Amino acid sequence: MDGVGLGFSDVATNPFVSAETPNLDRLLGSGDWYLQGNGRISSLRATLVPTDANMNMPGRPQSATGQATILTGRNVSQLVGEHYGPKPNPAVAQLIREGNLFQEVADAGGKAALITPYPQAYFDAINSGKRLYSAVPLAATSAGWPLFGADELRAGQAISPGFTGQGWHDMLEYTDIPILSLPEAGRHLAAIAGHYDFSFFEHWPSDRSGHRGVLAGAVTHLEMIDTAVGGLLDAWDDQAGLLIITSDHGNIEEKDHRQHTRNPVPTILVGDGHVDLARNIQSLADIAKVVRYVLALS
């Protein structure tokens, strides 16, 4: 979830305070799990870890370095000397290409995928040099994994970043894309993930909702996420794999401005051993270590 942090209990600025999130509330056994200061929260099924996205660096965390840190397990902001984004600069791109979880799974003979699809116009812009990869697709493609497009979305092998596919109709004019309900989208996410050793799904509209729009719109957006997550949780097999929900930086939790925040981000682990695994996470750089352990990559 791009741009989702743990904020404060201020109904005038934090949309989480007003949002109805029954699925995440039930998962975590807490009605105020979205607030910083609670510390770690564990339930029978999941653990939430307030996770440092600042990485001992000044300034506001950014998407490129945050996502690169999640995928490499290295403090990319510190290595390049700054928080940087939204797209990787040459220094960040080089660190991603030097090694990331997509590459490590490939090297181990496993199967990985970025299951967020892209329209043809995106591929055309990349191929023409008019657009740069963001950190996650750069990590996947540098490891040799193809990006998914409209064909995979039609075939039910990918999930739209907005979950339902409605945006592909309304904004991209792909009128043959199936429309899913939010719970269906969550269940499809679980099913698609079952085909891979490591899969990654990007929900970037949450960051856009932080940068744009009003508080009420952010409330609606968070409720949409919760409904999709509910479907995902209903279909997820805790014994078959570890589900990690996290973010690259804060944003949407403070709607009195339109910038990223230095707030901790929520990292939620769902699956067997979640309590012990969560003990290994302090910052974004620790998430890859947990993935490596679960997949026996190191």
Side-chain angles (χ1 to χ4, degrees), residues 269-284:
L269 305 184
V270 180
D272 282 356
H274 60 85
V275 174
D276 290 334
L277 292 170
R279 292 193 181 105
N280 297 295
I281 298 177
Q282 302 287 336
S283 76
L284 294 183

Side-chain angles (χ1 to χ4, degrees), residues 109-229:
K111 190 176 181 183
L114 171 56
I115 59 178
T116 313
Y118 298 88
Q120 186 58 48
Y122 174 88
F123 295 105
D124 293 342
I126 291 290
N127 292 333
S128 69
K130 294 180 179 179
R131 185 167 190 162
L132 297 174
Y133 285 129
S134 57
V136 180
L138 177 61
T141 56
S142 67
W145 301 110
L147 298 184
F148 291 168
D151 288 344
E152 287 79 11
L153 186 55
R154 291 188 191 97
Q157 299 167 355
I159 294 292
S160 166
F163 299 118
T164 66
Q166 188 66 53
W168 284 65
H169 284 248
D170 297 343
M171 292 177 280
L172 300 173
E173 299 183 356
Y174 282 83
T175 56
D176 59 344
I177 296 297
I179 300 295
L180 305 176
S181 70
L182 290 167
E184 283 177 329
R187 292 192 293 270
H188 273 64
L189 269 175
I192 294 167
H195 295 289
Y196 300 97
D197 299 289
F198 173 70
S199 60
F200 198 107
F201 173 76
E202 278 195 287
H203 178 71
W204 53 260
S206 46
D207 192 46
R208 182 179 62 184
S209 184
H211 286 302
R212 306 176 186 177
V214 298
L215 181 68
V219 170
T220 300
H221 193 99
L222 294 174
E223 293 176 344
M224 176 191 71
I225 291 174
D226 183 78
T227 304
V229 168

Side-chain angles (χ1 to χ4, degrees), residues 1-297:
M1 301 183 297
D2 196 337
V4 177
L6 298 171
F8 300 96
S9 184
D10 183 353
V11 69
T13 61
N14 187 349
F16 277 108
V17 177
S18 300
E20 297 290 334
T21 56
N23 296 294
L24 286 165
D25 293 349
R26 184 166 53 250
L27 174 69
L28 296 167
S30 170
D32 63 355
W33 58 267
Y34 53 83
L35 298 177
Q36 60 176 276
N38 286 332
R40 297 176 181 229
I41 299 172
S42 287
S43 67
L44 183 64
R45 192 179 183 192
T47 296
L48 181 149
V49 183
T51 306
D52 174 34
N54 298 312
M55 307 301 296
N56 297 314
M57 294 295 291
R60 299 177 186 269
Q62 300 297 323
S63 294
T65 44
Q67 293 165 13
T69 295
I70 291 170
L71 284 166
T72 65
R74 305 170 73 185
N75 185 340
V76 173
S77 296
Q78 193 170 72
L79 289 170
V80 303
E82 62 178 333
H83 295 300
Y84 191 87
K87 303 294 178 63
N89 62 10
V92 174
Q94 179 60 33
L95 289 169
I96 292 171
R97 293 189 179 102
E98 287 175 0
N100 62 75
L101 290 172
F102 287 103
Q103 184 64 61
E104 292 173 38
V105 172
D107 291 344
K111 190 176 181 183
L114 171 56
I115 59 178
T116 313
Y118 298 88
Q120 186 58 48
Y122 174 88
F123 295 105
D124 293 342
I126 291 290
N127 292 333
S128 69
K130 294 180 179 179
R131 185 167 190 162
L132 297 174
Y133 285 129
S134 57
V136 180
L138 177 61
T141 56
S142 67
W145 301 110
L147 298 184
F148 291 168
D151 288 344
E152 287 79 11
L153 186 55
R154 291 188 191 97
Q157 299 167 355
I159 294 292
S160 166
F163 299 118
T164 66
Q166 188 66 53
W168 284 65
H169 284 248
D170 297 343
M171 292 177 280
L172 300 173
E173 299 183 356
Y174 282 83
T175 56
D176 59 344
I177 296 297
I179 300 295
L180 305 176
S181 70
L182 290 167
E184 283 177 329
R187 292 192 293 270
H188 273 64
L189 269 175
I192 294 167
H195 295 289
Y196 300 97
D197 299 289
F198 173 70
S199 60
F200 198 107
F201 173 76
E202 278 195 287
H203 178 71
W204 53 260
S206 46
D207 192 46
R208 182 179 62 184
S209 184
H211 286 302
R212 306 176 186 177
V214 298
L215 181 68
V219 170
T220 300
H221 193 99
L222 294 174
E223 293 176 344
M224 176 191 71
I225 291 174
D226 183 78
T227 304
V229 168
L232 173 60
L233 293 171
D234 287 345
W236 190 260
D237 183 346
D238 292 2
Q239 285 71 50
L242 179 70
L243 171 64
I244 302 176
I245 303 172
T246 193
S247 187
D248 49 359
H249 54 75
N251 184 353
I252 197 172
E253 76 281 5
E254 291 185 3
K255 284 298 291 178
D256 54 336
H257 59 85
R258 298 180 182 273
Q259 300 178 9
H260 295 173
T261 73
R262 289 181 57 83
N263 294 332
V265 301
T267 297
I268 302 172
L269 305 184
V270 180
D272 282 356
H274 60 85
V275 174
D276 290 334
L277 292 170
R279 292 193 181 105
N280 297 295
I281 298 177
Q282 302 287 336
S283 76
L284 294 183
D286 298 319
I287 294 172
K289 300 172 188 176
V290 170
V291 175
R292 288 171 182 140
Y293 176 81
V294 171
L295 298 182
L297 297 175

